Every structure is written in C-alpha cells, then in structure tokens.
Amino acid sequence: MRILITGAAGFLGSHLCDRLLGEGHQVVGMDNFITGRPANLAHLAGNPNFSFIRHDVSNFIFVAGKVDAVMHFASPASPNEQSPLGYVNLPIQTMKAGALGTHNSLGVAYANQARFLLASTSEIYGDPLEHPQKETYWGHVNPIGKRSVYDEAKRFAEALTMAYHRFHGVDTRIVRIFNTYGPRMSIDDGRVVPNFLKQAICGEPLTVYGDGSQTRSFCYVDDLVEGIYRLLLSGEHDPVNIGNPVETTILEFAQAINALTGNPAGVIFKPEARLESDPQRRQPDISRARQVLGWEPRVSLAEGLRHTLPYFEKELGRA
Ligand code: NAD
Ligand code: UDP
C-alpha cells in the first residue's frame, strides 16, 4: 500500500512509519513540526519508499499520486500546562488539527477510495465514571474545561469519521489509544513519562501532581503499533481500545522509576500543577481488541522503561 501518515514526525507517527516501511509499504509522511521533530525521521532520509511533505493538515491536503490508506495522527497530545508543547497552550491549533485536519484527511481517503484510520484517544472518555473503560462507554467530558480543546476535537473527529463511513462509504477505523510511551517522545513534552525519566536521570525529585492516587495504564510503543497495524488490516469500523490494562497509581509509577534508575531523590508533590478534570482512574478494557484483532500487549512496564531510558539519557546528554 501507499500510506499517508499525518503527524509523521511525532512520537507515534515516526514509529508507525518505521513499521509500515518494514512491512514493505510506501509511506508519505506529513507534519508541520508544531510538537514533532525532523530528527524523528532523519534515519529515513534516502529511503526510496519514504517521502515527506511539510504541511499543516488544517489546510487542504494535496498528495500527488494514488493513496491506498490515510492514517491521521497529527495533533498535539500532551495535556501539560507547564509545557509549551501542551495542548492547553495550543488550544486553537489542537481544535483545528482534530476538526479541520480530520476533515481534510478524510477528504483524501474519500477521493482515493482509500481506507482511513483515526488516532483517537482514551480522553474521549473524559474523567470516566465507568471503570475499566469499554468502547461502549460514552464518556464524561466537561465541554468547556481546559482539556476540552483536545477531548472535544477528538470526539468530533470520531463523529466525522463515522459520518464519512455511513454517508460516503469510506472504509474507516478508529483506534482509542491509551497512555503510550517509548523512545522519541519529546523531552519537553510534559507528559508524565518524559518528565519522570528526565528528573530521575538528573537525580531530581519526581514531580507528582496532586496526591498521586490517580491511575494510568501505560503501554509500550511497540505493542501499540502492533495493535494499530492489525486494526489497519482488519475490517473493523467501530472504535477499538488499544492500551495496556495494567493499572498503576502515579505515585507507584514514580517509585518504580526511582527504583529502576537508582534515583535517591524521591518525589515532590505539586498539587497545584494537576490540570482540572485530570482523570482520576484510567484503564482500558481490551476485550474487543483481543476478540477482533487477536491482540494483547506483550511488553511489561519494567521492560518498556528499560528500552526507553537510554533514549532519554542520550537526549539529555545532547541537551
Ligand atoms: P506528538 O506530539 O509526538 O506527535 C504529534 C505530531 O503531529 C507532531 O509531529 C506534530 O508536529 C504533528 N502535528 C500537530 N498538528 C499538526 C498539524 N496541524 N499539521 C501537521 N502536523 C501536525 O504526539 P504523539 O504522542 O505521537 O500523538 C500522536 C497522535 O496519537 C495524536 O493524534 C494523539 O492525539 C494520539 N494519541 C497519543 C497518545 C499517546 O499516549 N502517545 C494517546 C492517545 C492518543
Ligand atoms: N503527572 C504528574 N507529574 C508530571 C506530569 C504528569 O504527576 O510531571 C500526572 C498527571 O497529572 C496525570 C498523569 O500524571 O494525572 C498522566 O499525565 P500525562 O500528562 O502523561 O497524560 P494524561 O494521561 O493526563 O493525558
């Protein structure tokens, strides 16, 4: 297939490029570098199966030649208010990437009779009242809260994707991605894994927002990419959760990272840094992924963190 990936210079987009090229596909990457980096794609320079278009997906998308699949991953993704890369600080760009970017990406798929895959998120469940979260849960989102620019844009993107599927017959898929980590996350991204690893490597206390009792379930990037690739090849049109169901409190997670890195500095609580409507609990129910994709994660948290640590050590060395 010849596959367009928007957000290709980001953390997940760049790993997807590698996987798809490895499977023998041709990849057209697209990005405007608002939160991603050319360095994430530098190793693909000169690869005859890879090409790149610098473009903001909020504007009409033109790709010369036939496209067989479109994977829409372009969007800021970190909620952190202290980071310049956080979507709270890029509110209009985030809504435009989710709304106009999804519309333009769907337009490419429709014009090419191509399949389409939307990168949605566990955030569409908001601060969930159902636990763990199944795809049938409709969510609990504050439509005017600070997180809403991301959550509502992704909810709109899902609705638009289903509209193109039902009305235009586009062959669509929706993946609801739960917290994923690994090499190539931007060091200044502000999400909890880059923050904690950076702090641990520097021997600083880990900044736990709130009291650390909130939970997340962390998936290693290779597992996620495997699930997404299976979804792309499947005929599943309904949303599918992809994530690792092993749930941990943020405080336990901080302690695990300190133990792994031998960081003696402990943790520091920063209640004021916790963003409003920060989900208290998050854990994917992956029954549907198991059933329709035969997928489940394989990489443990300890193993995934061991793969990720050298990347951040190298990045910090460079900085
Ligand atoms: P990232 O910030 O590393 O990557 C996003 C990429 O999209 C960046 O390269 C950025 O420059 C690009 N981009 C943003 N707006 C754009 C625009 N208007 N035009 C062109 N390019 C644009 O983040 P990520 O973690 O790789 O996230 C990728 C996708 O996966 C996002 O859609 C995000 O919502 C979704 N997602 C990620 C996670 C996760 O845990 N990593 C969880 C849920 C959903
Ligand atoms: N968090 C934290 N310290 C940090 C960054 C984040 O305690 O330095 C918390 C944050 O409040 C949230 C959880 O870690 O409860 C996960 O945050 P992240 O930004 O990774 O993404 P989210 O899952 O909220 O989208």
Side-chain angles (χ1 to χ4, degrees):
M1 287 190 280
R2 185 163 182 257
I3 303 173
L4 171 67
I5 303 183
T6 74
F11 160 51
L12 295 181
S14 63
H15 283 280
L16 271 172
C17 290
D18 289 349
R19 175 64 191 267
L20 295 169
L21 289 164
E23 296 286 343
H25 302 291
Q26 287 189 304
V27 173
V28 180
M30 180 170 284
D31 208 292
N32 67 351
F33 303 123
I34 188 170
T35 58
R37 302 176 310 148
N40 286 341
L41 297 174
H43 60 289
L44 299 179
N47 184 325
N49 288 323
F50 181 75
S51 58
F52 182 79
I53 305 171
R54 184 173 184 160
H55 181 69
D56 180 338
V57 296
S58 308
N59 301 316
F60 181 85
I61 299 173
F62 173 75
V63 180
K66 178 92 178 84
V67 169
D68 304 298
V70 178
M71 304 180 78
H72 180 40
F73 278 70
S75 170
S78 166
N80 198 319
E81 224 174 350
Q82 350 282 319
S83 163
L85 305 182
Y87 57 68
V88 178
N89 299 313
L90 302 166
I92 316 289
Q93 291 97 322
T94 301
M95 294 214 77
K96 286 171 81 173
L100 303 176
T102 304
H103 188 218
N104 292 325
S105 306
L106 277 162
V108 176
Y110 183 37
N112 282 275
Q113 300 288 295
R115 61 184 82 179
F116 178 84
L117 186 146
L118 172 71
S120 185
T121 167
S122 54
E123 280 286 315
I124 66 108
Y125 301 121
D127 188 4
L129 302 177
E130 182 180 301
H131 192 81
Q133 292 81 52
K134 289 194 191 71
E135 291 88 346
T136 47
Y137 179 50
W138 290 356
H140 179 228
V141 173
N142 173 359
I144 56 161
K146 285 187 180 172
R147 300 178 84 104
S148 67
V149 295
Y150 183 73
D151 301 6
E152 296 292 13
K154 292 286 187 182
R155 289 169 68 96
F156 175 89
E158 287 201 7
L160 191 64
T161 300
M162 291 311 290
Y164 266 68
H165 174 63
R166 294 189 181 113
F167 190 72
H168 285 316
V170 175
D171 186 11
T172 59
R173 289 133 185 81
I174 297 173
V175 56
R176 291 186 181 152
I177 302 168
F178 283 66
N179 295 66
T180 301
Y181 68 96
R184 299 194 195 145
M185 293 186 94
S186 177
I187 202 157
D188 301 318
D189 178 287
R191 278 178 279 183
V192 69
V193 173
N195 272 13
F196 280 3
L197 286 180
K198 188 167 61 177
Q199 290 156 352
I201 293 164
C202 295
E204 294 167 4
L206 273 47
T207 52
V208 171
Y209 297 172
D211 63 4
S213 65
Q214 70 271 34
T215 69
R216 293 294 186 272
S217 309
F218 294 99
C219 185
Y220 186 63
V221 61
D222 288 358
D223 278 336
L224 182 92
V225 166
E226 175 66 29
I228 290 175
Y229 188 57
R230 288 186 189 206
L231 179 61
L232 179 72
L233 299 186
S234 79
E236 183 62 35
H237 302 302
D238 287 336
V240 181
N241 290 339
I242 300 281
N244 190 319
V246 177
E247 185 185 8
T248 164
T249 69
I250 292 300
L251 182 57
E252 286 164 353
F253 186 55
Q255 287 160 344
I257 289 189
N258 278 338
L260 173 82
T261 54
N263 178 24
V267 304
I268 181 172
F269 291 95
K270 293 204 155 190
E272 71 288 352
R274 193 162 175 212
L275 196 57
E276 62 180 44
S277 314
D278 184 15
Q280 184 57 31
R281 295 190 74 181
R282 181 184 289 158
Q283 182 190 33
D285 181 317
I286 59 164
S287 312
R288 185 176 285 171
R290 281 199 175 101
Q291 198 192 330
V292 300
L293 308 176
W295 175 88
E296 61 183 7
R298 302 197 173 283
V299 182
S300 69
L301 186 59
E303 195 186 342
L305 288 173
R306 273 198 302 276
H307 290 316
T308 310
L309 190 59
Y311 161 81
F312 281 104
E313 285 172 336
K314 210 162 136 200
E315 284 296 295
L316 279 166
R318 238 182 240 136

